[in-house]
Amino acid sequence: MLKEEDPLIELIREWIMAPIDESAGLQLTIMEVFALVEEMINEHVVNWGPTSRLRKYLPTVRRIFAPMKLMEAVRQYDEATHFSKRKRVAPTFKEVRHILNLATIHSIAPTLKMVTFDADDTIYEDGGTISAASEMVGVIVGLLRKGVVVSLVTAAGYPGEPHRYEARLHGILEALEALTPAERSRFLVMGGECNYLHVTSTNPETGKVSLRVVPGREWKDGRGERWDQAEVDALLDVAEKVLREMVDTFQMTAAVLRKERAIGIYNTSTTKRLCYENLEETALTVQHALRNHTIPHCAFNGGNDVFVDIGNKALGISALQRFVGPLLPTPQAGLEGHECLHIGDRFTRTGNDTRSRDVASTVWVSNPEETGYIMKTLLPLLADP
């Protein structure tokens, strides 16, 4: 499936299902494959240059920020599923993804300072909101109380309209009222991938928590503000032309929506989702059309829409890494990749979470339930502030 696309996961499954060296007939057991991959990943953490063994098999592999406790995760997952005892059915893509997620949280827990979440299909359903009853509210509160910064990094861009984020996040904001001012200050929202930063604000009379827009001059460090608006508009013009052509080509029940720093198509049907493969084709076509534009951008398949955003999540997370240091229980100048974890659901070629791997460790989930599970596994591993 197009939704299940990852070179590392595919490499692990390939080595489990077939000999690594056809000429030598070398066949490893499941556990031996994971042990070998752990060794290569941990070598890559130290040396991720051209001599990396992992890069030999995965030429496009990105930097990995922390040694991975892969075998510990394999054993933990095997205790629950007994997958290693199967003789005729290899571990699925989903199972390997879960194992990598477990390995990541065990590896990063000792140094974790910030967790960033995608929104739709990660902490709530696509197009949804988060209520006070959501288990993710308890997870986020738990992270804040542990001294961890928590920020949403979402494609949703509402310039100058924090109330629109507040409406979708009302359950979290209500829960923040019971926290200390320092804990509340560690919750942020980055909108439009990297374009609109919000912090919390508390009404001194009512105690109600809302969101306040942070002026770009306080956190963008010139990035984004120095992008030439004419170039931004030119990029969005090209994207709009391609999107309209693709809507016509596939006869999609979709409308075009253009914003200040984004352009996209969204489903206008209330009864039927858009064909995923057609959305994938649309996203890839737009990516190709924009390949020579120098303004950072992200063209992605959102599952029921396709959008092109100015900027990307790597820029959004790196801006947060520079901004949030003073908010930590022990303030510091900035955060590094081994101190940051991003959780998202779109890590394929057409996903807008993929670039987060450039600046942070990552966990790949497929729905809010998976997010809740992996975060509840992480929380007990974190030390108290």
Side-chain angles (χ1 to χ4, degrees):
M1 293 176 63
L2 294 171
K3 298 176 187 178
E4 296 186 340
E5 174 190 275
D6 181 88
L8 178 58
I9 294 176
E10 289 160 7
L11 179 70
I12 292 171
R13 296 190 69 239
E14 177 186 338
W15 282 357
I16 288 172
M17 293 186 290
I20 292 177
D21 185 339
E22 293 286 354
S23 61
L26 179 60
Q27 180 83 50
L28 299 181
T29 66
I30 289 175
M31 293 303 186
E32 288 171 337
V33 167
F34 279 110
L36 175 60
V37 172
E38 179 185 80
E39 181 181 303
M40 293 170 65
I41 286 174
N42 294 343
E43 287 177 1
H44 186 78
V45 171
V46 178
N47 173 25
W48 54 289
T51 60
S52 160
R53 275 201 298 165
L54 188 62
R55 193 176 295 280
K56 173 185 174 182
Y57 295 100
L58 300 174
T60 61
V61 66
R62 289 174 162 83
R63 182 179 178 185
I64 299 174
F65 293 96
M68 193 169 286
K69 299 178 180 179
L70 193 55
M71 289 307 297
E72 181 179 329
V74 169
R75 295 186 188 98
Q76 180 181 347
Y77 193 76
D78 196 41
E79 286 177 4
T81 65
H82 310 290
F83 79 97
S84 69
K85 294 181 172 61
R86 299 199 303 249
K87 296 181 178 180
R88 296 174 177 83
V89 179
T92 65
F93 186 101
K94 181 178 180 179
E95 287 175 323
V96 177
R97 176 171 61 80
H98 285 322
I99 290 167
L100 289 172
N101 287 346
L102 286 170
T104 298
I105 64 167
H106 280 284
S107 300
I108 201 171
T111 59
L112 185 63
K113 303 288 180 62
M114 180 173 75
V115 175
T116 57
F117 292 99
D118 175 45
D120 291 83
D121 285 328
T122 299
I123 65 167
Y124 46 65
E125 298 299 331
D126 186 32
T129 63
I130 189 163
S131 69
S134 168
E135 70 172 343
M136 283 306 303
V137 172
V139 165
I140 289 170
V141 167
L143 289 168
L144 296 171
R145 284 179 168 157
K146 290 282 189 177
V148 176
V149 170
V150 176
S151 180
L152 265 63
V153 180
T154 173
Y158 310 128
E161 298 181 292
H163 63 277
R164 297 187 65 180
Y165 294 106
E166 292 168 358
R168 301 190 72 176
L169 305 174
H170 62 90
I172 298 173
L173 298 177
E174 291 167 10
L176 295 184
E177 295 175 11
L179 301 187
T180 67
E183 290 166 344
R184 285 197 296 271
S185 73
R186 289 195 286 270
F187 180 77
L188 305 93
V189 176
M190 178 71 77
E193 312 285 8
C194 63
N195 288 295
Y196 315 110
L197 179 61
H198 306 76
V199 295
T200 57
S201 176
T202 305
N203 186 308
E205 296 181 358
T206 66
K208 183 178 180 180
V209 178
S210 58
L211 295 175
R212 175 179 65 83
V213 177
V214 182
R217 64 181 179 275
E218 296 182 20
W219 64 276
K220 285 188 176 180
D221 193 26
R223 180 205 52 77
E225 295 185 326
R226 64 173 174 262
W227 296 336
D228 184 77
Q229 189 59 44
E231 290 185 52
V232 170
D233 291 339
L235 185 152
L236 295 177
D237 288 344
V238 172
E240 181 172 354
K241 181 176 183 293
V242 174
L243 288 170
R244 290 188 182 279
E245 290 173 351
M246 299 304 286
V247 169
D248 290 341
T249 297
F250 292 116
Q251 295 294 293
M252 288 188 267
T253 56
V256 176
L257 175 63
R258 183 155 178 169
K259 300 182 179 181
E260 178 186 68
R261 290 202 164 184
I263 178 77
I265 58 172
Y266 65 94
N267 191 3
T268 57
S269 171
T270 58
T271 59
K272 185 178 179 181
R273 293 179 68 88
L274 296 174
C275 173
Y276 187 88
E277 287 73 18
N278 291 349
L279 294 174
E280 196 79 351
E281 178 74 13
T282 300
L284 290 169
T285 302
V286 176
Q287 287 180 4
H288 181 76
L290 299 177
R291 66 193 183 282
N292 294 324
H293 284 260
T294 57
I295 296 287
H297 60 275
C298 177
F300 65 95
N301 174 0
N304 202 29
D305 55 38
V306 173
F307 266 84
V308 179
D309 288 334
I310 299 300
N312 56 58
K313 287 190 179 179
L315 293 175
I317 294 170
S318 62
L320 287 165
Q321 288 171 334
R322 294 190 300 270
F323 182 80
V324 304
L327 305 178
L328 295 168
T330 302
Q332 61 186 68
L335 275 61
E336 302 292 336
H338 68 279
E339 299 172 308
C340 304
L341 179 67
H342 178 71
I343 297 90
D345 69 305
R346 300 282 170 186
F347 284 97
T348 62
R349 282 188 301 162
T350 60
N352 65 332
D353 290 303
T354 306
R355 287 295 305 275
S356 66
R357 288 174 170 168
D358 293 343
V359 293
S361 298
T362 59
V363 161
W364 183 354
V365 298
S366 64
N367 53 56
E369 290 72 30
E370 283 192 11
T371 306
Y373 171 79
I374 201 72
M375 287 295 100
K376 286 188 289 186
T377 305
L378 170 65
L379 275 170
L381 304 177
L382 302 178
D384 292 325

